Amino acid sequence: MNKSTNISIIGGGLAGLIGASHLARKGYNVTLFEKHHHAGGRLRSFEAKGYTFDMGPSWYWMPEVFESCFHEFGYDVSDFYQLKRLDPSYTVFWKESKPLRVPADPANLGEWFESRESGSSKKLELFLKEAEFKYNTGMKMLANNPMQNLGDYLDPSLFRHLFRLDLFTSMNRHIGHYFKDTQIRMLLGFPVLFLGGTSRQIPALYSMMNHADLNLGTWYPMGGMSEPANAFYRIALEQGVHFHFGEEVTRIVTRDDQAISVVTEADTYKTDGIIGAGDYHHIEQNLLPLESRNYSESWWSRRTMAPSSLLFFVGIEESIPELTHHNLFFDEDLDRHAEQIYNRPEWPDHPLFYLCNPSKTDSSTAPEGCENLFFLIPVAPGLEESDEIKNRLFENVLQKLERHTGRDLKAKISFRRSFGIKDFTMEYNSYRGNAYGLANTLLQTGVFKPSMRNPKVKNMVYAGQLTHPGPGMPPSIMSGKLAAGLLDQTMRTF
């Protein structure tokens, strides 16, 4: 492809970086526009009082997706950062029984399963074999396919496995087929809380995440979660991608059925093709003219969104040995919290929450003898927030942490900062302030997600968490590559 063919990438998150790199390698003149002054999108960090806080994703799952992407550009993960497998993968705090430290080797989890339910260790083996099949099949035939029409499901290699993928069975029913114990079911169902629905609404296809969790393991890039973003930014630079940081795109100009330029706060740039790798809804509703949009505002308002999050970044001047790197506090009614997210949106009165403590693994994230804590409370998107609400919920989760650890921690807080729905909206143009994209219900999975193509703007495609394959770091990497392939295919027909 001639270098005079100009491609514009809107958004510098993982999807944008990967899409830009693939197209630049193919010979396009690629320019990436990013409203912030850094690459990586939500993979960002900040420093305060000797602490370094990751602000976005904190779980590093599916390491082979990262490795595969690096290999495509002639690198290994180890060329950029040290990847460490966590053991235990995470700790679960229950209301009454002692905490469960989930071992990195699932074979060592069988004893705990048996203590909860006789015969369940063998059932776990069967459950994880099914999860592995779904993972391998789903990743190969669904996640790595742009899924642009229903005919994609009729591919013979996929269609013969369609029912085994459990698209039409709920996670709740699937897990219940194997296990009856409440704690076991909560452990296996916890990823559902972030997929955008109750276990009764999410297809059992997503038990593939249990394979990612218990078999493939939980990892951490030493130096922090922004290390992958730094690595992909370096690759993009090497491929010749031009970066315009701190330059937000404010408008896309179209003529007939093509985009002809992007307008930023600073200038107007001629373009021959676009990957919209920012928030899909924002690009559609705020950057494109009405006649060029894939979907209407009323269509978007009918989508079921995954949760937003209320985050607290906290520095504690005390070591907390009871915690591990990742900690799940399942000491409240999961169904009630899910109900307050999905069915009758309101601020939770007794929230479950997640607590990341990276200083357990990476001493560079906190001063000596101190802990770096990242609290996350899943909440319904679009709620009206206030300082009073945020303070109440922080007191709630802090008291639970103190109760479980037997420590008086409030007086040891040396730093605290919150990040909520308004921040997601302002910082990332996030639709309704969501943190995890669309809910992964059956009618919002695969071909039913917002399309990567825009038939009204033929030289434009979309990437990122609101389109295929969905939210999270690995899906964003795959989305960027898929978008680059689609746009390249389109450009070669002009």
Side-chain angles (χ1 to χ4, degrees):
M1 184 57 62
N2 194 300
K3 278 285 187 183
S4 63
T5 303
N6 299 312
I7 301 296
S8 301
I9 311 293
I10 301 174
L14 291 189
L17 291 172
I18 300 305
S21 296
H22 278 288
L23 288 171
R25 188 174 62 167
K26 291 178 182 292
Y28 294 95
N29 181 40
V30 180
T31 301
L32 188 151
F33 299 93
E34 167 56 50
K35 67 177 287 187
H36 292 105
H37 292 273
H38 66 274
R42 301 183 186 205
L43 281 174
R44 55 194 284 206
S45 61
F46 73 93
E47 297 181 7
K49 294 191 174 182
Y51 300 92
T52 301
F53 295 98
D54 285 319
M55 298 182 67
S58 59
W59 292 83
Y60 193 112
W61 277 0
M62 302 161 64
E64 79 285 356
V65 174
F66 296 82
E67 192 72 64
S68 175
C69 187
F70 285 128
H71 285 172
E72 290 183 284
F73 293 96
Y75 289 105
D76 294 322
V77 170
S78 58
D79 293 322
F80 299 101
Y81 51 85
Q82 177 191 352
L83 194 58
K84 181 175 182 179
R85 184 164 186 174
L86 303 183
D87 191 7
S89 297
Y90 49 92
T91 295
V92 183
F93 289 87
W94 311 103
K95 187 169 186 177
E96 297 175 352
S97 55
K98 67 178 183 179
L100 167 66
R101 295 199 169 195
V102 178
D105 185 349
N108 296 329
L109 191 57
E111 183 178 346
W112 180 80
F113 268 67
E114 286 294 328
S115 73
R116 301 295 310 178
E117 182 176 322
S118 178
S120 61
S121 61
K122 291 296 183 184
K123 291 179 181 179
L124 175 63
E125 294 176 10
L126 296 173
F127 179 86
L128 289 179
K129 283 183 180 179
E130 280 293 306
E132 181 178 12
F133 169 81
K134 292 174 189 175
Y135 184 91
N136 292 335
T137 304
M139 290 289 287
K140 181 179 179 181
M141 300 181 185
L142 293 176
N144 286 306
N145 180 325
M147 301 302 292
Q148 294 302 286
N149 57 70
L150 283 170
D152 289 327
Y153 287 113
L154 301 180
D155 182 290
S157 59
L158 174 60
F159 187 73
R160 63 192 176 96
H161 296 308
L162 204 56
F163 289 96
R164 193 177 169 190
L165 290 174
D166 282 335
L167 279 167
F168 308 106
T169 301
S170 72
M171 276 288 288
N172 181 68
R173 183 176 179 182
H174 179 63
I175 295 173
H177 174 72
Y178 287 91
F179 310 102
K180 304 305 177 188
D181 178 74
T182 300
Q183 287 190 2
I184 289 177
R185 295 177 67 162
M186 288 181 72
L187 174 68
L188 296 176
F190 97 83
V192 169
L193 194 62
F194 302 97
L195 289 175
T198 67
S199 60
R200 293 176 176 82
Q201 298 167 314
I202 299 296
L205 165 70
Y206 290 102
S207 69
M208 70 167 74
M209 300 310 297
N210 296 118
H211 172 69
D213 170 11
L214 299 176
N215 286 334
L216 299 181
T218 302
W219 303 73
Y220 175 78
M222 297 299 289
M225 296 298 291
S226 60
E227 289 301 309
N230 295 336
F232 289 126
Y233 173 52
R234 176 178 149 188
I235 287 174
L237 288 173
E238 290 177 354
Q239 301 306 311
V241 176
H242 308 287
F243 286 86
H244 288 233
F245 290 120
E247 193 169 343
E248 183 172 9
V249 174
T250 58
R251 186 159 62 98
I252 299 170
V253 180
T254 61
R255 180 183 299 154
D256 298 325
D257 60 356
Q258 293 190 43
I260 60 171
S261 62
V262 295
V263 181
T264 73
E265 298 165 317
D267 208 342
T268 297
Y269 301 85
K270 177 183 177 296
T271 192
D272 299 300
I274 295 175
I275 292 181
D279 182 88
Y280 198 133
H281 170 270
H282 171 74
I283 291 172
E284 283 260 291
Q285 302 302 313
N286 297 301
L287 305 188
L288 282 173
L290 180 63
E291 66 273 11
S292 299
R293 298 171 188 172
N294 254 354
Y295 307 101
S296 67
E297 185 64 44
S298 63
W299 184 91
W300 280 104
S301 69
R302 295 192 300 272
R303 297 312 96 190
T304 302
M305 303 306 297
S308 184
S309 296
L310 177 57
L311 312 176
F312 296 102
F313 309 100
V314 180
I316 296 282
E317 293 181 326
E318 181 174 332
S319 177
I320 310 174
E322 294 81 7
L323 296 178
T324 54
H325 189 119
H326 295 297
N327 307 271
L328 300 169
F329 287 77
F330 283 176
D331 54 353
E332 297 289 355
D333 186 337
L334 174 60
D335 289 338
R336 178 177 177 81
H337 191 167
E339 179 82 8
Q340 292 177 312
I341 294 175
Y342 305 115
N343 298 337
R344 48 183 181 90
E346 62 185 5
W347 291 99
D349 45 10
H350 299 289
L352 290 80
F353 67 100
Y354 157 66
L355 175 58
C356 184
N357 185 190
S359 45
K360 289 297 181 191
T361 305
D362 189 347
S363 61
S364 70
T365 64
E368 185 176 357
C370 300
E371 300 283 28
N372 174 321
L373 304 183
F374 169 102
F375 292 81
L376 184 155
I377 304 172
V379 297
L383 296 176
E384 290 292 327
E385 62 187 6
S386 66
D387 289 341
E388 180 184 359
I389 289 170
K390 289 190 284 188
N391 289 335
R392 173 177 64 81
L393 287 171
F394 179 71
E395 288 296 323
N396 183 294
V397 296
L398 181 64
Q399 288 173 12
K400 290 177 184 176
L401 176 61
E402 290 180 326
R403 184 169 68 250
H404 283 287
T405 61
R407 297 174 180 276
D408 180 6
L409 298 173
K410 188 172 185 178
K412 302 296 180 66
I413 294 175
S414 59
F415 178 82
R416 172 184 154 190
R417 173 180 170 184
S418 66
F419 192 97
I421 294 172
K422 290 180 182 177
D423 299 296
F424 279 103
T425 302
M426 182 178 66
E427 293 290 319
Y428 309 125
N429 299 315
S430 180
Y431 180 50
R432 297 180 61 203
N434 82 85
Y436 299 101
L438 288 167
N440 289 280
T441 58
L442 176 60
L443 294 180
Q444 293 183 166
T445 292
V447 70
F448 300 112
K449 287 185 180 294
S451 175
M452 298 185 80
R453 285 195 183 277
N454 187 341
K456 298 177 182 178
V457 187
K458 293 183 178 179
N459 61 339
M460 179 175 180
V461 298
Y462 299 88
Q465 70 171 13
L466 285 177
T467 188
H468 185 70
M473 293 193 295
S476 292
I477 291 171
M478 291 183 279
S479 183
K481 180 181 178 181
L482 288 171
L486 287 173
L487 187 57
D488 177 52
Q489 184 183 66
T490 297
M491 300 305 297
R492 292 179 185 277
T493 65
F494 288 169

